[in-house]
Amino acid sequence: MERITLHDKTFRTYIPYAEIDKAISKVAQQINRDLMNEDRPVFLGILNGSFMFTSDLMKKIDLNCMVTFVKLASYSGTESTGDVKEVLGLCADITGRTVVVVEDIVDSGTTIVKLVEDLKKKNPKQIKICTLLLKPDAYKQEIPLDYVCIRIPNDFVVGYGLDYNNLGRQYKDLYVID
Ligand code: 5GP
Ligand code: MG
């Protein structure tokens, strides 16, 4: 088991890349099947956390589609602040299109609720949610999560795009606080 130190905290290997890759393949297959008849769906990655996931997911999507990003921020340290800021807005026109939101992790669901509210104002045909990780014990929202790669307990994880105060995003595996 590998340990990494970020700021004042130590993390240990939690989910190795091979397992992440397998889970993404499964979800990609479902998306390919479900959206086969949609006209150029828009995959919307949520920066910064989902940059690595979006990249790996998209390599497995064989639909004629668009990929774009928005930047949101709600976390400070290891705690959700509940206050979601849109740091970089949506440029693509999603009117009448199927949108697949690509998230790194859904925790309380505050981010997803705010995002879906904003996206609905732009009149998409439908909004699907795809997340690499879900903390089912923390998620108390109504919005259905259409594609979940991996379910985890309420632990704080880093790596594979996820950070602890801006560090640790570049690691290929997922790590959990030790
Ligand atoms: P929510 O709004 O669902 O409470 O939180 C969603 C956002 O909080 C995620 O997109 C992610 O940026 C951050 N987040 C939630 N849980 C974790 C975690 O365990 N580790 C890291 N690094 N970020 C998390
Ligand atoms: Mg995120």
Side-chain angles (χ1 to χ4, degrees):
M1 186 179 302
E2 199 198 331
R3 281 190 169 71
I4 56 171
T5 301
L6 305 170
H7 301 290
D8 56 332
K9 297 195 193 320
T10 305
F11 299 81
R12 63 185 145 81
T13 313
Y14 185 44
I15 304 173
Y17 178 71
E19 203 176 309
I20 298 171
D21 184 55
K22 238 190 249 166
I24 297 175
S25 293
K26 247 184 163 169
V27 156
Q29 263 181 28
Q30 285 173 25
I31 295 176
N32 284 331
R33 215 181 313 126
D34 292 354
L35 303 187
M36 196 166 61
N37 297 318
E38 297 300 325
D39 178 27
R40 293 160 299 146
V42 179
F43 287 79
L44 182 63
I46 311 303
L47 294 173
N48 294 325
S50 82
F51 79 95
M52 213 176 268
F53 174 43
T54 307
S55 164
D56 284 343
L57 175 73
M58 294 321 299
K59 285 175 247 174
K60 300 176 196 282
I61 296 295
D62 52 29
L63 306 164
N64 186 26
C65 63
M66 258 178 66
V67 186
T68 187
F69 293 90
V70 291
K71 181 165 175 166
L72 302 177
S74 74
Y75 249 62
S76 172
T78 61
E79 300 284 330
S80 183
T81 61
D83 169 32
V84 184
K85 285 190 209 77
E86 186 176 283
V87 188
L88 182 79
L90 178 64
C91 301
D93 182 12
I94 60 166
T95 314
R97 309 273 289 275
T98 292
V99 176
V100 183
V101 171
V102 183
E103 254 290 27
D104 51 353
I105 183 162
V106 176
D107 184 345
S108 69
T110 313
T111 310
I112 283 295
V113 167
K114 166 82 167 63
L115 182 69
V116 167
E117 252 171 43
D118 287 355
L119 289 175
K120 276 187 176 162
K121 291 180 197 149
K122 298 176 197 277
N123 300 311
K125 176 181 167 190
Q126 58 177 338
I127 301 167
K128 301 275 188 193
I129 310 290
C130 173
T131 185
L132 175 72
L133 300 166
L134 169 65
K135 295 180 182 173
D137 300 333
Y139 187 70
K140 299 282 177 266
Q141 311 287 345
E142 303 281 300
I143 298 172
L145 305 172
D146 305 276
Y147 306 105
V148 176
C149 298
I150 303 169
R151 287 171 176 78
I152 61 167
N154 282 347
D155 297 320
F156 187 78
V157 297
V158 296
Y160 197 74
L162 291 94
D163 72 311
Y164 168 50
N165 278 347
N166 302 313
L167 294 183
R169 292 193 195 276
Q170 81 276 22
Y171 294 97
K172 195 171 179 179
D173 304 312
L174 275 161
Y175 293 77
V176 68
I177 207 155
D178 203 15

